[in-house]
Amino acid sequence: MEVNSRKMKKPLRIKIISMGNSEVGKSCIIKRYCEKRFVHKYLATIGIDYGVTKVTVKDREVKVNIFDMAGHPIFYEATVLQNFIYTHVRNEFYKDTQGAMLVYDVSNRESFEALDTWLAEMKQDIGNPADMDNITFVVCANKTDKKRVIDEIDGHLWADSKGFQYFETSAQGGHGITDMFQALFDGVVTAAENGGRKVPVVMQLGYTKEQVDAIQRLKNGKDNYEKLGLPNNPSKDDINRAFRKLSVLLHPDKSVAPGSEEAFKMLVAARTSLLKSATR
């Protein structure tokens, strides 16, 4: 009789949460994956929606507990609304999280800009902030079927700066949903098999975090001083030194980071402006 040489792995139970503003499509993403359908009518999640699905990851049966968290602020802070008291609903569900979807709507800038606030909220309520380091995060740029106001480059750069995997998704069409969940489950199971310690994702992107940070600073700096990382009233030598350092990182002939060409143009313009106003 032939004996199966592959040792059966112990089943695993994992906890996944969804994070993001209301109406970004968190529930629709989950339904698209679990039920293979799209819900056209918007139904706001009241507090927390809970679901379970079973998958096979790395030859192991995995029971996935998904906590779909309402995005509206009333479910975070104690609030009285129409004689109902909603009190600290989301706060209680961050603890023991192993994987998280950070979702924003590419047609809504506010939802993208809120991502940092969601991470801050989680860090505050997770119990031990150090636990954040071992959570597998994926970023979902959702509703790609709509006219977008957030470019793919901006979403990619934000995710890369955090060390998170990035996915373009459409709950309506199903694009990117399966790949995103597979990456999320793989990351969580790998961490579980590593004693609960997340294994950093090796992204062979061809560019560095330093380049990503430089591009974001040039795009988001409130003035030319901040864009070049300079104090007020710098000397011409200071300006040129900062320019040379950044140009090595971002010159289009040397960098393949998304947004490098645009950032380099901003760098040149900022340097030119600062040199004109420099007095020493």
Side-chain angles (χ1 to χ4, degrees), residues 76-212:
Y76 180 69
E77 299 173 347
T79 306
V80 178
L81 183 65
Q82 295 180 350
N83 297 322
F84 288 94
I85 300 177
Y86 300 93
T87 175
H88 304 294
V89 177
R90 287 203 306 260
N91 316 46
E92 304 300 321
F93 287 87
Y94 285 118
K95 293 178 182 178
D96 301 319
T97 293
Q98 295 164 281
M101 297 182 295
L102 273 168
V103 185
Y104 71 93
D105 173 356
V106 298
S107 67
N108 184 310
R109 179 167 295 279
E110 183 181 353
S111 70
F112 175 67
E113 294 175 346
L115 294 179
D116 281 306
T117 302
W118 279 94
L119 287 177
E121 177 182 304
M122 184 183 202
K123 187 173 184 178
Q124 176 176 305
D125 291 304
I126 197 171
N128 181 1
D131 290 345
M132 295 277 289
D133 296 335
N134 290 316
I135 295 174
T136 299
F137 288 93
V138 293
V139 177
C140 303
N142 195 38
K143 301 192 182 183
T144 54
D145 47 281
K146 290 191 171 185
K147 183 177 180 180
R148 64 194 306 158
V149 297
I150 304 297
D151 291 335
E152 181 179 354
I153 287 173
D154 294 320
H156 235 308
L157 287 175
W158 188 88
D160 292 347
S161 72
K162 306 292 184 184
F164 302 160
Q165 292 190 74
Y166 172 86
F167 294 89
E168 295 260 304
T169 60
S170 169
Q172 180 170 341
H175 169 72
I177 303 294
T178 299
D179 289 343
M180 180 274 294
F181 273 106
Q182 286 179 343
L184 180 58
F185 298 156
D186 282 348
V188 172
V189 171
T190 299
E193 294 178 344
N194 192 44
R197 297 182 300 277
K198 184 175 71 174
V199 178
V201 178
V202 179
M203 300 181 187
Q204 297 181 349
L205 300 173
Y207 54 89
T208 66
K209 185 177 184 300
E210 188 178 11
Q211 288 173 311
V212 170

Side-chain angles (χ1 to χ4, degrees), residues 212-268:
V212 170
D213 290 344
I215 291 170
Q216 287 193 317
R217 190 170 75 236
L218 282 160
K219 287 172 67 69
N220 301 322
K222 64 179 183 293
D223 55 37
N224 288 330
Y225 300 108
E226 186 173 304
K227 288 179 180 180
L228 269 68
L230 291 168
N232 289 335
N233 195 30
S235 68
K236 292 182 179 180
D237 286 342
D238 291 335
I239 296 168
N240 285 323
R241 273 195 296 270
F243 173 81
R244 285 193 294 269
K245 180 180 178 180
L246 289 170
S247 64
V248 168
L249 290 172
L250 301 177
H251 195 285
D253 291 341
K254 300 177 181 178
S255 174
V256 296
S260 292
E261 186 171 352
E262 180 185 359
F264 186 75
K265 292 177 181 177
M266 293 177 181
L267 173 62
V268 172

Side-chain angles (χ1 to χ4, degrees), residues 45-60:
T45 300
I46 306 300
I48 300 289
D49 196 6
Y50 171 73
V52 179
T53 189
K54 288 184 179 180
V55 295
T56 301
V57 181
K58 301 175 70 173
D59 300 318
R60 185 193 294 271

